[in-house]
Amino acid sequence: MKIVSHTVKPKIPVALSSLEEMAHNLWLSWNFEAITLFMRLDWDVWLQSNQNPAKMLGMVAQERYDAMALDDSYLSALKMVEEKFQRYKDGETWYKGDHKGVVAYFSMEYGLDVSLPVYSGGLGILSGDHMKASSDMGLPLVGIGLLYRQGYFKQYLNPDGFQQESYPENDWYNMPVHRCLDDGGKPILIAVDMAGRTVAAQIWEVAVGRSSLFLLDTNIEENSPEDREITAALYGGNTETRVRQEILLGVGGIRALRALGIDVAVTHMNEGHSAFLALERIREIMAERSFSFAEAVQAVWPTNIFTTHTPVPAGNERFGIDLMEKYFRAWVQQLGIEWKDFLALGREKPEDNNEPFCMTVFALKLAAYANGVAELHGVVSRQMWASLWPGLPLDEVPISSITNGVHPRTWASHNMLELLDRYFGPRFYEEPANLDMWDRLDRISDEELWRTHERRRERLVVFARDRLKRAMKRSGAAEGALHRAEDVLSPYAITISFARRFATYKRGNLLLRDPDRLLRLLSDKDRPVQIIFAGKAHPHDLPGKEIIKELVHFSRREEVQSRIIFLEDYDMTMARYMTSGSDVWLNTPRRPLEASGTSGMKAGVNGVLNCSVLDGWWAEGYSPEVGWAIGSGEEYQDTELQDRIESEALYDLLEHEIVPLFYQRGRDGLPREWIKRMKASMKSVGQDFSTHRMLKEYSERFYFPALDNGRRLAEAGYVPAKELAAYLAKAHKAWPAISVTELKADAKPIMERGDKVTVSALVDLGGLEPSEAAVELYHGSVTIQDGIAGAQRREMSAVEKKGKAWEYRVTVTCESTGQHGYSVRVMPKHPALVSPYVPGLIKWA
């Protein structure tokens, strides 16, 4: 049956016309005054639309529109928000436009707002916050992702407490997205080859303040039914579906930006899903410049950035060679390289023909800048991928770290923001990248801060009761049970929350290891404790689902029915209530398996205190003034022993520190010591763990240098890339013949601080010139294992040619005491080389 369709828009009075633009710009998701306009327009419809302003506009009765168009109070509020929105769009920003070109940020999911469900968890929320902070700071950045027809699943529990999933369809014509059209009003389409078939995709734009996010969609009539399913569901389907999605994201994303006329100079791969974008960028350069593959790689490499989020090998995506053969054999022929050389780009051991193709390895090899998402995760990532740079000391493996952050105005409750705005002043809104503003937190009185927090706890309790009652009604609970749901939790008791993905390593049931001890905590009438759990397990993660079931069963015990609950279908709305209304945010991962974690940051910015294992961001965020640490950062081989020790440590903290401190009140009824920690936590998170701090780091360490690299290459006609490719080919050929001999120094057995030491070495460069190799002195304190700790590097100078070799020499000062040692190494050297750490190109004495 052929269906001819058209779009029907609401008839909004002229006086209210700005509502439509605001409904389709997710600026409103971090501006509560804008949200209140839609709530005031029609409260019942607001709830029926699931808090989706774009959908809501089509549901409001015409009579209501006409009435509100004459309501002077409403029109006055609308005018104030309009002016604020306009000031935001036109205002000065942290970025002053000093660089040419655009950074394209690629991610598989984006958690921007509950009205746009194309996210599953932490990775998506981070990507959404990244886009919002980029808008605040005025960065030249656009986002690229996929528009999933079903998004991520909605969770509900069966009567036995076992997780079930439903997959509601998204209606894009009633969501804050719009299709990108050409001058003739037709959808802009791009095409991607997939295993010999052409797949088309249309492009949708999401306005995020000043920034734009572009999402690709294959659910169009130009495609076969099979190809329309590529963007059916986030993380849905089988491995082949994932390959197809990632080809669309990477290759199709670059083509979409070109079709839109956006000058992409730098690409940022947020996790390995989008790494195939490198192939498209390489293909473009080859076609435009008649470059070889090796030359095009050097043109693209200095402008690629890669962020890894996964601290375990199994979490890094790998595709079988049969699948790669199906989708990339034609690509490789087009690129003019050997099949084995292409596969080597995705292998830790290039010579291992049985090793699958790893997207993380592929991204690391084709990006000049790489990072983990917390200091500890950077260490773990360097250990995981050190084999890609054989011979390189672990601390020099070129994977740095930029700790994740959260967008404060998204995650601080509107009550808390009203308080902060009042004490911080207008610059807090106008200059969000000015992190010194958080120093003003001490101006807020204890009374006001505590009153604001208590209001949020009350709202959390009301929200939890409503969610619980609705879930029970859906599952057919008896009337008596529904009445009991209206009385669960207390707005005055210390509230501990645990909300995250229910993977087994996150140990959502750690508190249940000693049920009797937990029952004593929950049933204390003088110092009552209550706990809220929420979160989803992956649809195929049966052990994770069993943990949820275990928690639900425990919560139904008669002794604790009103003190511990599990809330189903954790989403951004629930996260906002929980991270602002709880007193303690609990996190119990097995160190070091938590890459970063950001939910604790969201809680911290609201004054909620963290109690966590020293993993992810908390390993650097913790101090006794801002929260509690479970353990001291130990790592265990025996997980059973770890669970026992850390569960006991958690019970001890709750019994002897956390609960007593909360209920330690002065004559005025205020927990002053608790509030002191709240202020310290808010200041710490606001300054050190906001996305504005994070984006400053990305900009100054990666984005701006990469944009400069791209500009220099373009201005030079990409000749430096061609020269660098030729140099690397020469270096790889010469490297086996390089040797370092006759290493000696004029040091005496005992030296004093301040003495000078001259080190020399004979270096055979294997046919390279001294200008083509960096010979370095590598020196520092000698460790018990005969290694060098805290090593320093000094480039040595070629002073004299002796036969085939060169004598190199350098003089250094003895600056610290103890046993010192040194070695000499040879590294590649070329003016176009962004980083000297080229896999396989290092030679030690």
Side-chain angles (χ1 to χ4, degrees):
M1 176 176 68
K2 182 176 177 62
I3 298 176
V4 179
S5 64
H6 59 273
T7 304
V8 178
K9 296 177 67 176
K11 187 178 180 182
I12 301 174
V14 174
L16 307 179
S17 59
S18 60
L19 286 173
E20 184 152 21
E21 183 188 0
M22 278 189 268
H24 288 82
N25 190 312
L26 290 180
W27 172 84
L28 65 77
S29 68
W30 70 94
N31 286 272
F32 189 70
E33 305 99 312
I35 292 172
T36 56
L37 290 174
F38 294 90
M39 294 163 69
R40 283 181 65 184
L41 184 62
D42 193 315
W43 174 251
D44 292 333
V45 172
W46 169 253
L47 295 179
Q48 291 166 22
S49 72
N50 292 319
Q51 302 174 37
N52 179 347
K55 182 179 181 180
M56 176 189 176
L57 290 181
M59 297 169 65
V60 174
Q62 196 62 47
E63 294 79 11
R64 181 64 178 167
Y65 274 130
D66 295 339
M68 296 305 281
L70 300 174
D71 185 323
D72 57 348
S73 171
Y74 186 81
L75 292 176
S76 174
L78 176 61
K79 186 171 186 295
M80 286 175 62
V81 176
E82 282 176 355
E83 291 172 350
K84 184 177 182 180
F85 187 28
Q86 198 60 46
R87 284 197 306 274
Y88 179 85
K89 290 189 291 184
D90 297 340
E92 285 194 18
T93 60
W94 176 81
Y95 176 69
K96 304 303 180 187
D98 303 325
H99 299 271
K100 185 183 178 186
V102 169
V103 177
Y105 176 81
F106 285 69
S107 185
M108 200 73 166
E109 50 176 301
Y110 289 87
L112 287 155
D113 188 64
V114 69
S115 65
L116 189 64
V118 290
Y119 63 93
S120 71
L123 180 73
I125 300 299
L126 173 76
S127 302
D129 282 8
H130 196 111
M131 293 298 304
K132 292 173 184 178
S134 174
S135 166
D136 287 343
M137 297 167 71
L139 291 174
L141 182 144
V142 297
I144 292 288
L146 302 181
L147 191 72
Y148 303 102
R149 198 171 73 239
Q150 292 179 335
Y152 204 51
F153 70 89
K154 294 186 79 65
Q155 175 199 53
Y156 65 97
L157 305 180
N158 70 14
D160 192 34
F162 194 74
Q163 174 182 296
Q164 306 285 298
E165 298 88 28
S166 66
Y167 295 86
E169 298 273 328
N170 289 321
D171 175 10
W172 302 123
Y173 297 93
N174 283 309
M175 289 188 173
V177 298
H178 68 267
R179 276 193 297 184
C180 297
L181 307 176
D182 62 20
D183 292 339
K186 293 182 178 179
I188 296 173
L189 301 181
I190 57 102
V192 179
D193 178 83
M194 293 199 191
R197 268 208 327 271
T198 299
V199 176
Q202 63 182 345
I203 309 165
W204 297 75
E205 182 177 4
V206 182
V208 187
R210 300 180 179 96
S211 300
S212 289
L213 166 64
F214 299 101
L215 302 174
L216 302 182
D217 169 24
T218 64
N219 186 27
I220 53 178
E221 61 183 18
E222 285 83 354
N223 289 329
S224 68
E226 180 186 352
D227 294 334
R228 294 178 76 153
E229 291 297 304
I230 293 174
T231 54
L234 171 61
Y235 304 138
N238 56 20
T239 307
E240 185 162 5
T241 304
R242 292 294 293 275
V243 170
R244 288 155 65 81
Q245 286 184 337
E246 294 180 17
I247 292 171
L248 178 66
L249 176 63
V251 177
I254 293 292
R255 292 182 183 177
L257 293 170
R258 300 293 186 224
L260 294 166
I262 295 171
D263 176 20
V264 179
V266 168
T267 45
H268 182 178
M269 299 171 273
N270 189 42
E271 197 52 284
H273 307 125
S274 61
F276 292 134
L277 67 83
L279 288 182
E280 175 63 8
R281 297 190 71 199
I282 288 166
R283 185 200 64 77
E284 284 182 336
I285 293 286
M286 291 176 69
E288 291 169 7
R289 304 270 166 186
S290 299
F291 274 19
S292 68
F293 179 82
E295 292 166 343
V297 166
Q298 297 311 320
V300 168
W301 180 76
T303 62
N304 268 349
I305 298 156
F306 171 58
T307 298
T308 176
H309 291 259
T310 313
V312 289
N316 291 273
E317 199 152 40
R318 289 173 166 84
F319 295 125
I321 302 307
D322 55 339
L323 214 50
M324 296 301 295
E325 175 99 28
K326 179 177 179 180
Y327 285 93
F328 289 96
R329 177 64 84 165
W331 260 94
V332 170
Q333 290 172 350
Q334 186 180 357
L335 296 172
I337 57 172
E338 295 292 326
W339 179 243
K340 63 179 178 61
D341 293 335
F342 170 69
L343 292 179
L345 290 171
R347 285 173 166 163
E348 293 180 71
K349 299 175 182 175
E351 68 286 350
D352 182 356
N353 293 328
N354 295 316
E355 184 181 339
F357 190 93
C358 177
M359 295 298 283
T360 302
V361 172
F362 185 60
L364 285 168
K365 289 185 177 181
L366 290 176
Y369 306 93
N371 70 288
V373 289
E375 286 180 9
L376 178 59
H377 183 231
V379 173
V380 172
S381 298
R382 288 190 287 277
Q383 292 169 344
M384 283 177 63
W385 306 112
S387 64
L388 300 183
W389 292 270
L392 197 62
L394 200 59
D395 62 352
E396 288 189 288
V397 170
I399 304 174
S400 62
S401 67
I402 294 180
T403 303
N404 284 344
V406 295
H407 187 254
R409 284 198 172 267
T410 294
W411 295 107
S413 72
H414 64 89
N415 301 103
M416 190 62 75
L417 281 173
E418 286 170 7
L419 185 64
L420 297 178
D421 283 333
R422 194 159 73 246
Y423 280 91
F424 288 10
R427 288 174 60 205
F428 180 53
Y429 178 80
E430 295 162 2
E431 302 173 26
N434 182 355
L435 304 178
D436 293 339
M437 285 288 147
W438 289 92
D439 288 332
R440 299 182 178 182
L441 199 76
D442 295 327
R443 299 178 180 182
I444 301 174
S445 71
D446 289 357
E447 290 83 358
E448 282 193 280
L449 182 60
W450 188 245
R451 207 159 48 238
T452 301
H453 179 65
E454 287 197 306
R455 193 176 306 129
R456 292 313 307 177
R457 193 190 312 115
E458 290 165 5
R459 294 192 176 195
L460 170 60
V461 168
V462 171
F463 173 84
R465 289 171 178 173
D466 178 63
R467 276 289 182 106
L468 194 62
K469 188 175 178 180
R470 281 195 280 160
M472 293 171 71
K473 190 179 290 186
R474 180 196 49 73
S475 63
E479 195 65 32
L482 294 177
H483 284 309
R484 284 196 299 274
E486 294 173 355
D487 199 36
V488 301
L489 306 179
S490 162
Y492 311 109
I494 183 172
T495 305
I496 300 167
S497 286
F498 180 100
R500 53 200 12 91
R501 185 164 54 90
F502 269 80
T504 50
Y505 79 86
K506 292 178 183 282
R507 299 186 295 179
N509 56 351
L510 191 67
L511 263 177
L512 303 189
R513 280 189 64 87
D514 189 338
D516 292 337
R517 205 167 171 184
L518 179 57
L519 282 169
R520 285 198 299 273
L521 274 166
L522 294 170
S523 57
D524 188 328
K525 289 183 171 55
D526 296 324
R527 298 188 303 193
V529 174
Q530 57 195 20
I531 307 174
I532 303 174
F533 287 95
K536 300 176 179 179
H538 188 279
H540 304 308
D541 183 4
L542 292 179
K545 291 184 176 184
E546 286 296 332
I547 292 175
I548 293 175
K549 180 180 170 182
E550 182 185 357
L551 289 168
V552 172
H553 281 214
F554 186 87
S555 73
R556 290 174 179 171
R557 292 176 63 157
E558 195 168 331
E559 317 97 290
V560 298
Q561 268 196 349
S562 65
R563 296 280 175 82
I564 180 169
I565 62 170
F566 185 95
L567 296 179
E568 62 181 45
D569 203 30
Y570 185 55
D571 61 8
M572 287 184 76
T573 297
M574 189 185 294
R576 286 193 177 103
Y577 277 97
M578 292 182 71
T579 56
S580 65
S582 306
D583 296 295
V584 178
W585 197 258
L586 182 62
N587 190 24
T588 53
R590 284 199 180 95
R591 176 180 164 125
L593 302 183
E594 181 88 275
S596 175
T598 55
S599 63
M601 302 175 190
K602 297 161 196 163
V605 83
N606 282 288
V608 177
L609 301 183
N610 278 270
C611 175
S612 174
V613 170
L614 290 171
D615 198 8
W617 79 281
W618 193 236
E620 62 201 83
Y622 166 72
S623 71
E625 296 79 28
V626 300
W628 295 273
I630 303 168
S632 302
E634 301 89 351
E635 294 176 20
Y636 298 78
Q637 295 299 316
D638 185 338
T639 56
E640 177 63 27
L641 176 66
Q642 180 179 13
D643 290 354
R644 179 170 61 78
I645 291 173
E646 293 184 343
S647 66
E648 289 176 0
L650 175 54
Y651 291 130
D652 286 342
L653 281 173
L654 290 169
E655 291 168 348
H656 304 303
E657 294 189 40
I658 297 174
V659 176
L661 187 69
F662 180 85
Y663 286 107
Q664 180 184 312
R665 307 294 169 104
R667 281 184 293 180
D668 55 6
L670 294 176
R672 298 256 177 206
E673 284 301 312
W674 189 277
I675 296 169
K676 185 178 177 183
R677 291 192 186 213
M678 287 176 65
K679 288 183 176 180
S681 173
M682 292 175 71
K683 186 188 294 186
S684 169
V685 171
Q687 291 183 329
D688 299 332
F689 298 100
S690 75
T691 37
H692 300 100
R693 185 275 311 155
M694 182 185 84
L695 262 293
K696 278 184 175 181
E697 283 197 58
Y698 273 114
S699 298
E700 290 162 358
R701 290 172 52 191
F702 294 167
Y703 292 166
F704 297 164
L707 286 168
D708 286 338
N709 294 341
R711 176 186 53 77
R712 283 194 297 269
L713 281 168
E715 288 174 353
Y718 291 90
V719 171
K722 205 174 178 81
E723 292 173 344
L724 179 56
Y727 163 75
L728 288 174
K730 180 181 178 181
H732 278 289
K733 191 174 180 181
W735 223 257
I738 293 176
S739 63
V740 182
T741 58
E742 293 189 29
L743 182 60
K744 56 188 180 183
D746 63 1
K748 293 174 284 191
I750 304 294
M751 305 286 288
E752 293 184 347
R753 184 181 285 156
D755 287 351
K756 306 284 187 183
V757 177
T758 298
V759 180
S760 64
L762 277 183
V763 183
D764 184 340
L765 294 175
L768 296 179
E769 294 299 319
S771 62
E772 296 175 317
V775 178
E776 294 181 340
L777 178 69
Y778 186 86
H779 65 106
S781 301
V782 177
T783 66
I784 297 172
Q785 293 83 17
D786 291 329
I788 294 179
Q792 297 182 46
R793 300 160 45 198
R794 281 284 301 278
E795 188 163 354
M796 304 175 75
S797 301
V799 293
E800 184 181 355
K801 190 162 189 184
K802 294 186 175 180
K804 288 173 57 184
W806 284 86
E807 181 180 348
Y808 278 79
R809 199 178 297 158
V810 71
T811 299
V812 294
T813 303
C814 299
E815 294 178 343
S816 58
T817 59
Q819 186 74 13
H820 281 251
Y822 60 88
S823 187
V824 170
R825 66 185 185 183
V826 184
M827 306 277 281
K829 185 178 183 180
H830 189 276
L833 199 59
V834 173
S835 166
Y837 303 120
V838 179
L841 296 189
I842 183 170
K843 184 65 68 82
W844 291 89

